[in-house]
């Protein structure tokens, strides 16, 4: 009984913060979901295919934008040091924005050939969207550091509302770039909102290049050991889009965009909120050399239950759900979901807990796992002459095996931390 109480105790303090973040994320996620029936009947699968290629390219560039120094915003004990990590992130993201613009202007023709369906406008909007999201991300991390979870949640709602409004309006105007333009405006809005809220919360006028150099050096292990693996991980998450684009056509990419959007709902609603709160809590426990095992297993149990229910829903009602939302012609998305849901469920369990390795500063271990996962996924590009369903089954098997190994590593190093610090388990 005492062990059970110990296991449940972290949930009481964790649940409120997770609920606040989750509520905001849920509302933000409901907005595009409510609009999906309209958008799926306004834009073509090819339009959604182009949009998905844009989003996956955006995700890879976002992973690069702050060189992973944004993860350090939660780590310093002093708030002034945390602010200078924030300033450092803004400087880095501005520099990368400039580099991206130069690359686009000099290589625009080659890029438009490689990124099928892209217009020059879509290509040009890409670095602006990356910069806007980077601004949002660093200020949002600071809000989480200050435990302003309500403010963090409302950022996401403002983003989705503005994004959806623009996409619907441009859809009625038959603008094929409407999905992309709406997404970019959504990022700009949430970036501006997050900056404004932090500005009201605390002064941002104490700026020192010496302190920026100090945090640049102090947290250098983040870009050295986590940047490349994180980019590889982001590529793996988007690899399905690039794989299907290279082997089949933009229409199939559009069907898979719908599949991945629905399968991402638990990740966006549950996983993202838990990941951010767990990182904050685990970092705090480690700084005080406190027990992290009860928190780890409590969260893992919750995620296991959620992922099991998710599999059951998709297996029983998968195709019907997609036809109900998207209308006739989107049956393929439901069929693909019934294959990919097992990989998505495994990721849902272990991905949020990956922040534990970062908090434990096991950057090399995390990096090695990311690299090995990338090597496994990249082999799919060398396989030809098989059906799209077979590609999806192989991809799912790789994802399941990779994340089971990830879970073992997280548990092992959590126990090792306890033993090394002589903390009672």
């Amino acid at each position: 009984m005492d062990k059970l109480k110990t296991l449940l105790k972290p949930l009481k303090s964790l649940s409120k913060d997770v609920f606040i973040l989750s509520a905001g994320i849920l509302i933000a996620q409901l907005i595009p979901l409510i609009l999906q029936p309209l958008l799926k009947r306004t834009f073509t699968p090819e339009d959604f295919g182009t949009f998905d290629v844009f989003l996956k390219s955006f995700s890879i560039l976002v992973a690069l934008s702050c060189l992973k120094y944004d993860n350090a915003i939660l780590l310093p004990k002093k708030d002034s040091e945390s602010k200078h990590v924030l300033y450092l992130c803004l400087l880095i993201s501005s520099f990368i924005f400039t580099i991206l613009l130069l690359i686009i202007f000099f290589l625009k023709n080659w890029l438009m050939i490689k990124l099928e369906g892209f217009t020059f406008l879509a290509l040009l909007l890409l670095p602006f969207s990356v910069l806007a999201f980077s601004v949002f991300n660093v200020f949002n991390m600071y809000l989480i550091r200050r435990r302003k979870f309500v403010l963090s949640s409302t950022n996401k709602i403002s983003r989705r509302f503005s994004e959806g409004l623009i996409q619907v309006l441009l859809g009625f105007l038959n603008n094929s770039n409407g999905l992309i333009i709406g997404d970019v405006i959504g990022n700009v809005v949430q970036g501006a909102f997050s900056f404004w809220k932090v500005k009201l919360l605390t002064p941002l006028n104490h700026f020192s290049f010496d302190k920026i150099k100090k945090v640049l050096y102090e947290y250098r292990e983040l870009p050295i050991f986590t940047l490349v693996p994180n980019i590889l991980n982001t590529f793996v998450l988007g690899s399905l889009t690039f794989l299907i684009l290279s082997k089949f056509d933009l229409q199939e990419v559009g069907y898979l965009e719908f599949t991945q959007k629905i399968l991402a709902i638990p990740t966006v609603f549950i996983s993202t909120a838990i990941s951010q709160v767990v990182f904050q809590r685990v970092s705090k426990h480690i700084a005080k050399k406190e027990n992290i095992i009860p928190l780890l297993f409590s969260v893992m149990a919750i995620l296991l239950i959620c992922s099991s229910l998710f599999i059951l829903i998709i297996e029983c009602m998968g195709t019907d759900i997609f036809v109900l939302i998207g209308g006739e012609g989107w049956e393929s998305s439901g069929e693909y979901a019934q294959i990919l849901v097992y990989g998505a469920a495994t990721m849902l369990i272990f991905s949020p807990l990956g922040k534990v390795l970062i908090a434990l500063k096991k950057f090399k271990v995390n990096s090695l796992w990311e690299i090995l996962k990338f090597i496994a996924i990249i082999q799919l590009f060398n396989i030809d002459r098989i059906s799209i369903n077979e590609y999806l089954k192989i991809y799912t098997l790789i994802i399941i095996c990779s994340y089971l190994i990830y879970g073992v590593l997280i548990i092992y190093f959590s126990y090792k931390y306890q033993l090394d610090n002589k903390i009672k388990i």
Side-chain angles (χ1 to χ4, degrees), residues 260 325 354 360 386:
Q260 293 178 88
I325 298 173
L360 290 170
I386 62 174

Side-chain angles (χ1 to χ4, degrees), residues 248-285:
F248 299 95
D249 56 33
L250 205 56
Q251 185 180 57
E252 294 292 352
V253 176
Y255 290 139
L256 273 169
E257 183 274 341
F258 193 17
T259 301
Q260 293 178 88
K261 183 180 289 293
I262 298 300
L263 293 184
I265 291 173
T267 299
V268 172
F269 172 46
I270 302 170
S271 177
T272 303
I274 287 180
S275 175
Q276 292 173 339
V277 176
V278 165
F279 187 36
Q280 189 265 347
R281 291 298 178 85
V282 169
S283 298
K284 184 178 178 181
H285 286 340

Side-chain angles (χ1 to χ4, degrees), residues 302-349:
I302 293 172
L303 293 173
L304 179 61
I305 294 170
C306 293
S307 62
S308 300
L309 290 173
F310 187 50
I311 290 173
L312 186 62
I313 291 170
I314 295 298
E315 276 290 3
C316 295
M317 300 181 291
T319 304
D320 294 335
I321 291 172
F322 284 87
V323 173
L324 177 66
I325 298 173
E328 296 296 328
W330 291 94
E331 291 86 354
S332 294
S333 297
E335 293 170 6
Y336 299 156
Q338 289 173 330
I339 299 172
L340 294 171
V341 67
Y342 294 95
T346 309
M347 289 173 60
L348 176 62
I349 297 170

Side-chain angles (χ1 to χ4, degrees), residues 53 108-118 242 245:
V53 174
K108 60 182 178 182
N109 293 329
W110 181 80
L111 289 170
M112 289 173 68
I113 292 172
K114 292 296 182 182
L115 299 173
E116 183 183 341
F118 262 46
F242 298 116
L245 182 64

Side-chain angles (χ1 to χ4, degrees), residues 152-216:
S152 175
S153 295
T154 54
N155 283 333
K156 298 175 178 66
I157 297 172
S158 65
R159 182 235 192 283
R160 290 301 184 184
F161 179 79
S162 55
E163 173 195 54
L165 179 63
I166 297 300
Q167 288 178 340
V168 169
L169 289 175
L170 294 180
F172 280 122
L173 296 173
N174 294 318
N175 188 323
S176 60
N177 285 316
L179 293 168
I180 293 174
I181 294 172
D183 183 78
V184 174
I185 290 176
N187 281 329
V188 171
V189 168
Q190 74 172 355
F193 264 57
S194 59
F195 166 74
W196 174 60
K197 288 170 182 175
V198 171
K199 192 74 169 63
L200 292 176
L201 182 66
T202 183
L204 295 172
N205 52 357
H206 302 292
F207 185 92
S208 167
F209 276 109
D210 289 336
K211 289 184 178 180
I212 288 178
K213 291 177 184 177
K214 177 179 177 294
V215 296
L216 176 71

